Amino acid sequence: MIKCPNCEGEMSFEPGVQEVVCQYCGSKFNPNTVIDDLKKSKVVDTTAENNGVPGKAFMCTQCGARLLTFDETAITFCSYCGSQAMVEDKMIQFNKPDFIIPFKITKEECIKKYKDLVSHNMFLPNYLKDDVYVDKFRGIYMPYSIYDFSYSGPCSSKGSKYDHHSMDYDYYNDYEVSCNVEASFGGVAKDLRSNFYDKFSDNLVFDLKRKEDYNPNYLVGYYADVADVDPKIYVDNAMEEAQQELKSMFTDKSTFSRYGAPIPDVPLNPKQIKTGMFPFYFLAIKDKKLDRMYYAVVNGQTGEMYIDLPVSKKKYIFGSLIVSLIIYAFIFGLSLFNVRDLFIPLIILSVISIFVLGTQANKINKMFFHEDDEGYSSINMSEKKNNVNIFKYIYKNVLAFIILLVVYLMNFFQDGINYGAVIVSLILIILSFGDLMNIHNLLVSNKLPQMNKRGGDESE
């Protein structure tokens, strides 16, 4: 996108030194002042400063994702599905946002944070720790909208507070609490990319006080995604967040609660919606057996990390066998042990398992169709929805519960029946834990983006 004023070599923004660095001669430039040198060198089209930034597009033929790159990259890896992708020759004008938050964390720091976290997870599949995959972390700027709200004026709320009891009556004092409010919220941020799920953006918070006026020099060496969600989609959600923050401030003051008055609803007014580019490191790893993706997303400003952590089935089975052998030895190794003492704990465990599995199955239904993701839903409103069959996840626990309850109530004196009921129920419960593991892996995975479009994005 831009050439070095000294040697016309490729340049990239280096988070570690917060400078634009030439990859050939090593020259370093302040990103906020280098544009003057570029104008003098005449190696860049300076009209991009006002109209946007020209970038090369690449489209993944596997999932249809489309990103922009700002250097001479010819082959890259898709940030959404991890597949190798070719950069297109055509240039695309990247619309100029209002703000940008530059990368502060280097790729090397990002990889170290990831490795430190996954190295302590004993049930994680080994391929998620493989350097071949980990090196595919890509720095990418995501489009965001930033919402500002304000209110200036009076605010009141009515309440009552218990005073005393006399005869057969309770006496209350009625109050009306009034105040003047001067409120301003500048910085409720929402991502504007439907395939960048809200579970990432909601869990990785940026310090908006450290945002910079947009400067194209921060983009060199990184990718950028293009917004496909209308910023108006999030207005109500952003206003609700601002109102909740305002209510918490009222609660801290205790002015209203002191008199039994509820916290008032302040009619915040939208001031403006601005756009910005926020930095992320993105890693996509495809499940070897399912058409599902696991993502690791790192906040490029703070280093906070959100990772999908599946469970290895082989490691789970091995761990379950060890636990089962310990339980088996515990049950049969004590000659004075009364097997009927296990019935009540196992009945309680089966009931808890039914509740947990049923709850998780409902979460699968929401997760599959991104019911809590306004941006995704706004783009994929026509997506067909099928409810998850909850019974297929809980029937083992239901059967274990019935067996334990019937044998316990029948009060059999034969140890063989009691031991058999305990062993069969324990096996069913352990198998149900395998179902819970499968549910967990579904909940932490994501379907491939845009897979409903053959050969990628056919709309192009």
Side-chain angles (χ1 to χ4, degrees):
M1 182 183 70
I2 61 175
K3 306 291 185 180
C4 174
N6 296 331
C7 71
E8 298 193 14
E10 292 299 320
M11 300 174 68
S12 63
F13 175 73
E14 298 291 344
V17 295
Q18 291 292 292
E19 291 181 313
V20 180
V21 180
C22 176
Q23 302 301 307
Y24 291 91
C25 71
S27 300
K28 297 180 180 180
F29 303 90
N30 185 317
N32 294 315
T33 60
V34 68
I35 194 67
D36 295 330
D37 295 322
L38 294 172
K39 289 178 180 178
K40 294 176 183 177
S41 68
K42 298 180 180 180
V43 296
V44 64
D45 180 7
T46 57
T47 58
E49 183 182 3
N50 297 318
N51 301 327
V53 180
K56 286 187 177 181
F58 77 82
M59 183 186 303
C60 177
T61 57
Q62 297 299 312
C63 74
R66 186 179 191 181
L67 297 176
L68 298 180
T69 182
F70 303 98
D71 54 26
E72 297 303 315
T73 303
I75 299 177
T76 185
F77 291 99
C78 174
S79 297
Y80 287 103
C81 74
S83 301
Q84 197 173 67
M86 289 289 295
V87 176
E88 301 175 19
D89 289 333
K90 62 181 179 181
M91 301 293 290
I92 293 179
Q93 194 74 5
F94 175 62
N95 292 332
K96 179 181 177 181
D98 299 299
F99 302 114
I100 189 168
I101 295 180
F103 277 90
K104 300 288 185 181
I105 305 297
T106 66
K107 180 179 176 180
E108 291 72 24
E109 291 173 322
C110 166
I111 291 175
K112 184 178 184 303
K113 286 176 178 289
Y114 176 85
K115 287 184 174 180
D116 289 344
L117 191 149
V118 300
S119 63
H120 297 98
N121 192 312
M122 61 183 298
F123 289 108
L124 197 68
N126 289 330
Y127 63 85
L128 289 180
K129 305 177 184 181
D130 195 327
D131 287 343
V132 173
Y133 292 105
V134 175
D135 286 339
K136 292 183 182 180
F137 263 109
R138 291 292 179 266
I140 177 172
Y141 281 98
M142 285 292 178
Y144 267 69
S145 54
I146 303 170
Y147 304 85
D148 293 343
F149 302 96
S150 66
Y151 177 76
S152 178
C155 187
S156 64
S157 180
K158 294 181 179 181
S160 61
K161 192 174 182 181
Y162 175 78
D163 186 64
H164 68 278
H165 178 84
S166 178
M167 304 296 288
D168 293 330
Y169 298 95
D170 292 327
Y171 290 85
Y172 290 82
N173 291 322
D174 292 333
Y175 297 93
E176 181 174 359
V177 184
S178 301
C179 65
N180 287 317
V181 176
E182 293 287 341
S184 179
F185 294 88
V188 181
K190 298 290 181 181
D191 76 278
L192 296 179
R193 183 64 192 172
S194 61
N195 285 331
F196 189 71
Y197 305 132
D198 285 355
K199 68 177 183 179
F200 304 140
S201 56
D202 289 346
N203 284 282
L204 298 175
V205 181
F206 289 86
D207 181 3
L208 297 179
K209 294 179 181 178
R210 298 167 64 186
K211 67 181 183 293
E212 303 280 352
D213 290 336
Y214 173 72
N215 186 328
N217 302 312
Y218 289 115
L219 294 174
V220 288
Y222 296 95
Y223 304 109
D225 210 337
V226 181
D228 66 349
V229 175
D230 188 342
K232 295 179 182 178
I233 292 293
Y234 287 114
V235 170
D236 291 340
N237 185 281
M239 182 177 292
E240 183 179 343
E241 288 186 23
Q243 286 177 333
Q244 289 298 323
E245 180 67 21
L246 187 58
K247 284 185 176 182
S248 69
M249 294 179 182
F250 276 123
T251 302
D252 293 340
K253 295 291 184 182
S254 73
T255 304
F256 288 87
S257 59
R258 183 187 311 166
Y259 298 101
I263 303 299
D265 290 323
V266 178
L268 293 174
N269 302 310
K271 288 173 59 179
Q272 58 185 343
I273 301 176
K274 293 189 175 182
T275 57
M277 300 301 293
F278 291 4
F280 291 91
Y281 286 103
F282 208 82
L283 175 66
I285 301 179
K286 186 176 180 181
D287 187 283
K288 291 187 174 182
K289 296 182 179 179
L290 304 173
D291 282 334
R292 309 283 298 175
M293 299 300 306
Y294 300 117
Y295 291 124
V297 184
V298 181
N299 184 320
Q301 180 193 44
T302 66
E304 288 183 292
M305 187 175 298
Y306 184 99
I307 305 180
D308 294 329
L309 295 175
V311 176
S312 167
K313 199 163 188 176
K314 290 181 180 179
K315 293 182 179 180
Y316 167 79
I317 293 173
F318 180 74
S320 297
L321 286 174
I322 293 176
V323 173
S324 300
L325 289 174
I326 293 173
I327 295 174
Y328 180 87
F330 179 75
I331 293 175
F332 293 97
L334 300 177
S335 58
L336 300 178
F337 189 83
N338 186 351
V339 69
R340 288 187 62 82
D341 291 340
L342 284 175
F343 275 76
I344 296 301
L346 287 176
I347 288 173
I348 294 173
L349 180 60
S350 64
V351 172
I352 293 174
S353 300
I354 291 171
F355 174 78
V356 171
L357 285 164
T359 302
Q360 295 298 91
N362 279 324
K363 287 183 179 180
I364 287 179
N365 202 49
K366 283 188 173 183
M367 181 272 297
F368 271 0
F369 305 110
H370 304 277
E371 293 182 8
D372 298 325
D373 193 323
E374 291 184 77
Y376 181 92
S377 299
S378 68
I379 301 298
N380 301 278
M381 290 186 295
S382 61
E383 191 173 78
K384 185 178 179 181
K385 298 183 178 182
N386 297 307
N387 290 327
V388 172
N389 182 2
I390 296 178
F391 185 73
K392 76 175 184 178
Y393 292 108
I394 66 173
Y395 77 92
K396 296 183 182 72
N397 303 86
V398 172
L399 185 58
F401 173 79
I402 293 173
I403 292 172
L404 289 166
L405 187 63
V406 169
V407 174
Y408 182 77
L409 294 177
M410 294 296 292
N411 199 19
F412 291 106
F413 292 101
Q414 296 92 336
D415 283 345
I417 295 178
N418 291 323
Y419 277 116
V422 167
I423 293 172
V424 171
S425 300
L426 194 58
I427 291 173
L428 288 171
I429 292 172
I430 290 175
L431 289 175
S432 74
F433 288 162
D435 294 335
L436 183 61
M437 177 201 67
N438 291 332
I439 291 177
H440 169 80
N441 286 348
L442 284 174
L443 285 173
V444 301
S445 64
N446 308 268
K447 65 180 182 181
L448 286 170
Q450 301 186 29
M451 283 299 290
N452 56 317
K453 300 175 182 179
R454 299 186 306 276
D457 192 343
E458 290 182 339
S459 64
E460 293 300 319

